[in-house]
Amino acid sequence: MRANIAEYKAVENAAMKFVKSVAEGNSSYAKELFVNEAVLFGYLDGKLELGSIELFYHNVDTVVAGIDFKARID
């Protein structure tokens, strides 16, 4: 059974919001994607980041992606 292509497009659009937030340093796009109870777990500049989704939003809003930032969604 084949999945409806619209479902894939919805996932692609969500991923693009995430990328756009990081690229522009604007968490407003990403805020549409996560519930308030979401948590952050990952590394930023080699340092472990672990906490509420608000920490992620803060990082997006204050850490510049830079001119070398690239993204690809498949």
Side-chain angles (χ1 to χ4, degrees):
M1 176 170 135
R2 292 191 149 204
N4 183 335
I5 193 72
E7 293 175 4
Y8 290 97
K9 190 66 177 168
V11 172
E12 179 186 13
N13 289 340
M16 280 305 301
K17 286 182 181 181
F18 182 90
V19 169
K20 188 172 182 174
S21 275
V22 173
E24 294 181 9
N26 180 351
S27 66
S28 66
Y29 311 109
K31 287 180 180 178
E32 299 175 23
L33 304 172
F34 299 101
V35 297
N36 291 336
E37 295 80 12
V39 295
L40 166 73
F41 179 82
Y43 287 87
L44 177 62
D45 295 330
K47 179 183 166 213
L48 178 63
E49 296 279 319
L50 177 64
S52 74
I53 195 66
E54 290 298 326
L55 178 58
F56 169 72
Y57 300 147
H58 171 77
N59 289 343
V60 167
D61 291 335
T62 60
V63 178
V64 178
I67 60 172
D68 293 330
F69 177 78
K70 293 177 180 58
R72 178 179 153 175
I73 298 169
D74 294 318

